[in-house]
Amino acid sequence: MLSRRLFLEQLAGAGATAGLRPSLAAQAEQGLRAIAARRGIVYGCAAATYEFKYADFSAALAREAGMLSAEYEMKRAALEPTRGAYDFSGGDSLLAFARQHGMAFRGHTLVWHHSNPPWLADALQSPKAEVLLTDYIAAIAGHYKGRIASWDVVNEVIQPSDGRSDGLRDTMWLKRFGPEYIDTAFHAARQADPRAMLVYNDWGCELGAPENDRFRAVTLEFLSNALARGIPIQALGMQGHLSAFGTQVDQKKLRAFLDAVREMGLKIIVTEHDVDDSGGSSDIAIRDRAVADACRRFLDVMLDNPATIAVLTWGLSDRFLDPPGWRDKLSGRYPRMLPLDRDCKRKPMWAAMAKAFA
Ligand code: XIL
């Protein structure tokens, strides 16, 4: 266990306590979980069971996170590799870690157009294929009933560039069942777990470009119509994937969007926050600063809205991030998108999150 003095020196060395009020420096030993909790916000991150074999990472995860979600082990390819034969081992291990450390657990995700087992596409063409949706949701949400704080019931269902008037993504689910598959999924999830908060999760409302304006408009229309149809959506999940050197958040546009979501009576969860640091300087200090600044600009607006109840990053440490391309691998340029570096040391992004939470 690090001595408190050495610990804080390490923090200071990482620039992570610069500007933190003394009380925050003292709190830093407890991690983002404690700092966020003081504002009534849950901080957590996605994780995968293979990460638990690293003791230093597991200790950092226990210290920093107050909620876990499954990076991939609760997607259908992992849960139902063979039709009707469920494998809950990965999800159950993540849930066990969460419960062991007093963390909340969120489910990700019941219906998506990626990470499906190879047998599903053909099976969907059979008659009475709706059971592939309803029976699956009943089995999965039933298995985790009462232990899931919130479920991403459907994931990434909007894609205006697919050209539909309703802006929905033209997935195998939409092609087979029409837009009603979304109603079916949410009602099945509600029936299987009466207590879990039901979330519509997507990426596209965060940034300030014209296509994001369109995405926000379609999302508001989708949510308003869904609620009018009596679909039990309780929260909007915003994935929060940002870019340090690409299109930035427009705080004014984002703030107005969040106000409109809150006016619908919905909660808001940042479900997969990270900041892509590719495409800019190769200087690590510049990349880390740009990542921290993008993170802070985003979270300041997100956390100003009382509807925002939780913030999760899409992982905790850069250690498990793959270089985007072979050139990066050759040059040893590893992504630095998360609050902790490859050695689980806190980065300027960690400090930016701590300040945003505080
Ligand atoms: C990705 C995971 O990071 C990968 O490990 C997995 O193989 C595929 O999914 N939006 C989402 C996440 O909702 O589930 C995706 O995560 C990233 C994009």
Side-chain angles (χ1 to χ4, degrees), residues 108-181:
H108 178 77
T109 178
L110 292 170
V111 184
W112 195 26
H113 56 285
H114 285 307
S115 300
N116 287 303
W119 58 265
L120 182 61
D122 288 347
L124 266 182
Q125 303 321 314
S126 58
K128 294 196 179 54
E130 195 169 70
V131 294
L132 289 165
L133 203 50
T134 52
D135 287 2
Y136 177 73
I137 292 171
I140 305 310
H143 177 82
Y144 289 106
K145 180 179 177 182
R147 300 181 289 172
I148 297 280
S150 60
W151 263 113
D152 290 338
V153 177
V154 299
N155 193 35
E156 303 182 353
V157 302
I158 285 177
Q159 181 54 289
S161 57
D162 279 2
R164 287 176 53 94
S165 58
D166 57 12
L168 290 181
R169 187 186 295 268
D170 197 11
T171 67
M172 65 180 187
W173 299 111
L174 189 86
K175 287 182 172 67
R176 183 66 180 82
F177 301 115
E180 294 71 29
Y181 83 95

Side-chain angles (χ1 to χ4, degrees), residues 178-239:
E180 294 71 29
Y181 83 95
I182 296 167
D183 307 49
T184 303
F186 273 93
H187 287 301
R190 173 50 71 237
Q191 191 172 355
D193 186 340
R195 282 179 30 206
M197 179 180 286
L198 302 184
V199 183
Y200 153 60
N201 189 51
D202 215 326
W203 177 64
C205 293
E206 296 86 350
L207 304 180
E211 64 263 25
N212 304 107
D213 297 342
R214 175 110 168 78
F215 204 103
R216 280 184 285 271
V218 169
T219 299
L220 291 177
E221 188 67 21
F222 165 77
L223 289 170
S224 171
N225 292 337
L227 292 170
R229 289 204 309 275
I231 296 182
I233 295 178
Q234 296 163 285
L236 169 66
M238 295 175 67
Q239 294 180 9

